[in-house]
Amino acid sequence: MKLLWLFSIIAIVMSCSTTSKNNTPVYESVPTPPGFVDSTINQLTSDGDNFYASFSTDGSRIIYLSKNKSAHKNTQIYIMNLKNPRHRRITYNDGEDTSPRFSHDGKKIIYSSTTDEQKEKNKSVHQPKSITPNEQMAKLYEWKFLNNEIYQSDADGSHIVRLTRHTGYDAEGIITPDGKKIFYTSLSGEDLEIHSIDAQGRAQKQITSLKGYNGQTQYLSATKQLVWSGTRSEESAQIHVADNAAKKIKQLTTKVAIHWFPSWSPDGNKIIFSSNRDDNKNFELYLMNADGTCLKRLTYVGGTDLMPSFSPDGKKILFTSDRTGTSQIYLMDLQEPQECSAEVL
């Protein structure tokens, strides 16, 4: 039962089956430590539920997921121009879309969707049962490991190409800067493992062989390293780094808690992530060195702060939060605390 609970936490937002509830309370800030400086935070979205945002390489646009709008209830992909704020819907699928990312040149995107698997009426393979982790999060989120395939298209949503054809969960893709390889998470085997394919969807290769869930992968081109979140016990999800063949794996976090959605800083020296390590019912944003040292907590708001990522210049953080009662996207300045936490990672 504990393992099922953990799987449900790991994919609450990632699988894009979020459900907004009415009259959800706005969370209050929690006490901050002496000397803490609040960052400037701007809310970028407000209509519907919005999440899973990331930047284009030039920092001019973000790509994200949205649902529960007047035009559609299912999860679809949007792009927002930050210089002249405009939100543009780019997918019109019958199913649920998830994990969109820009290519390095910004001309293409990759994403996952249930649209073809639904039409093909494929049955799920050994799908973990969804169990909401606690009452607070149940008010906002509902999750299932849906049958997804990975797709590529132009940045305006046109010229769609299907890249995977496996019954089950293929999602959370990230494309390397040279555009030659895609890393993603698949439930095509016995466990959720990291796999890779080339840009044409060929040469599939399983990268990890570790019991439990392995996903939310991010790639650092400078060192050809991967960072991801993986379950190594029934009570926790931990952050790991490795070379892109996963031959030299190092676990960076150890505390019994959920550590998820890790993301590299542009220079590769830092990793930002979300965790409930200080409060089982409250996910906040944290920063650590790339070797797992010098933990720093960045946010102090009751509620759920998730899916952080750096701007290309490393000065801002994009993230998802339910701090106003619905899932929305925020952009904040990086105000890094001077002191490292004495707490063991």
Side-chain angles (χ1 to χ4, degrees):
M1 183 63 71
K2 289 181 180 179
L3 186 57
L4 294 176
W5 173 85
L6 180 60
F7 271 126
S8 69
I9 294 179
I10 291 171
I12 286 167
V13 181
M14 185 172 50
S15 64
C16 312
S17 296
T18 62
T19 303
S20 179
K21 304 295 183 181
N22 293 326
N23 302 318
T24 305
V26 176
Y27 299 113
E28 296 181 355
S29 296
V30 296
T32 57
F36 178 81
V37 179
D38 257 331
S39 299
T40 300
I41 299 179
N42 294 315
Q43 183 175 334
L44 301 183
T45 58
S46 58
D47 181 25
D49 290 300
N50 304 277
F51 45 96
Y52 213 117
S54 60
F55 281 97
S56 60
T57 303
D58 64 3
S60 66
R61 295 170 294 167
I62 64 169
I63 190 168
Y64 64 96
L65 297 171
S66 186
K67 73 177 303 183
N68 293 324
K69 292 179 177 288
S70 58
H72 60 90
K73 297 300 180 183
N74 60 331
T75 308
Q76 301 289 276
I77 299 171
Y78 283 69
I79 287 178
M80 178 183 179
N81 188 321
L82 294 175
K83 294 181 179 179
N84 181 21
R86 294 175 58 189
H87 303 263
R88 180 183 180 184
R89 180 181 175 183
I90 63 169
T91 58
Y92 293 81
N93 290 318
D94 296 331
E96 303 284 340
D97 296 339
T98 184
S99 48
R101 296 282 179 179
F102 283 109
S103 63
H104 188 72
D105 61 10
K107 296 180 180 179
K108 301 281 186 180
I109 66 167
I110 61 168
Y111 64 96
S112 293
S113 180
T114 64
T115 183
D116 283 330
E117 292 250 30
Q118 284 186 175
K119 296 169 187 173
E120 294 161 5
K121 298 181 180 179
N122 292 330
K123 295 182 179 180
S124 299
V125 290
H126 45 267
Q127 183 184 88
K129 183 179 178 182
S130 174
I131 299 177
T132 49
N134 56 59
E135 183 179 353
Q136 185 182 75
M137 298 184 81
K139 293 178 181 178
L140 287 175
Y141 304 114
E142 179 186 3
W143 166 83
K144 290 181 181 179
F145 273 120
L146 303 176
N147 285 0
N148 280 272
E149 299 292 354
I150 296 178
Y151 300 82
Q152 179 179 271
S153 76
D154 291 347
D156 62 2
S158 64
H159 302 99
I160 300 170
V161 178
R162 180 174 171 177
L163 298 180
T164 58
R165 295 182 180 273
H166 312 116
T167 300
Y169 183 77
D170 293 318
E172 306 166 49
I174 187 79
I175 189 167
T176 57
D178 61 12
K180 294 182 178 180
K181 186 175 289 188
I182 295 169
F183 292 98
Y184 66 102
T185 294
S186 179
L187 191 56
S188 56
E190 291 301 317
D191 279 310
L192 285 150
E193 301 287 358
I194 300 170
H195 292 242
S196 68
I197 51 176
D198 65 22
Q200 288 74 44
R202 303 172 303 197
Q204 182 193 12
K205 182 179 181 181
Q206 183 173 324
I207 303 300
T208 58
S209 296
L210 301 167
K211 185 177 180 180
Y213 165 86
N214 297 276
Q216 306 159 21
T217 310
Q218 296 292 310
Y219 178 77
L220 182 63
S221 59
T223 58
K224 296 183 179 180
Q225 281 185 298
L226 303 175
V227 63
W228 74 93
S229 181
T231 62
R232 297 296 166 260
S233 74
E234 293 186 342
E235 295 86 12
S236 64
Q238 305 296 345
I239 294 174
H240 301 71
V241 294
D243 60 287
N244 61 6
K247 292 181 178 179
K248 297 179 180 180
I249 299 174
K250 180 181 179 181
Q251 182 177 317
L252 299 184
T253 56
T254 59
K255 186 174 181 178
V256 178
I258 306 300
H259 304 81
W260 63 342
F261 287 100
S263 185
W264 298 104
S265 62
D267 60 11
N269 293 329
K270 304 282 186 178
I271 296 172
I272 192 171
F273 61 96
S274 178
S275 181
N276 65 346
R277 58 185 293 121
D278 291 328
D279 181 348
N280 182 53
K281 297 182 179 181
N282 181 23
F283 283 82
E284 301 286 0
L285 303 185
Y286 296 81
L287 189 71
M288 65 181 172
N289 292 336
D291 61 1
T293 61
C294 192
L295 175 70
K296 297 179 179 182
R297 180 169 167 176
L298 300 181
T299 57
Y300 287 83
V301 176
T304 305
D305 292 343
L306 299 168
M307 295 176 283
S309 60
F310 282 94
S311 61
D313 61 8
K315 296 180 180 180
K316 294 181 180 294
I317 302 297
L318 192 65
F319 67 102
T320 298
S321 179
D322 66 3
R323 60 183 60 199
T324 60
T326 58
S327 180
Q328 302 299 336
I329 297 167
Y330 295 80
L331 184 64
M332 75 175 185
D333 295 334
L334 175 60
Q335 295 284 355
E336 186 175 340
Q338 292 185 355
E339 301 295 328
C340 303
S341 171
E343 187 180 5
V344 177
L345 271 164

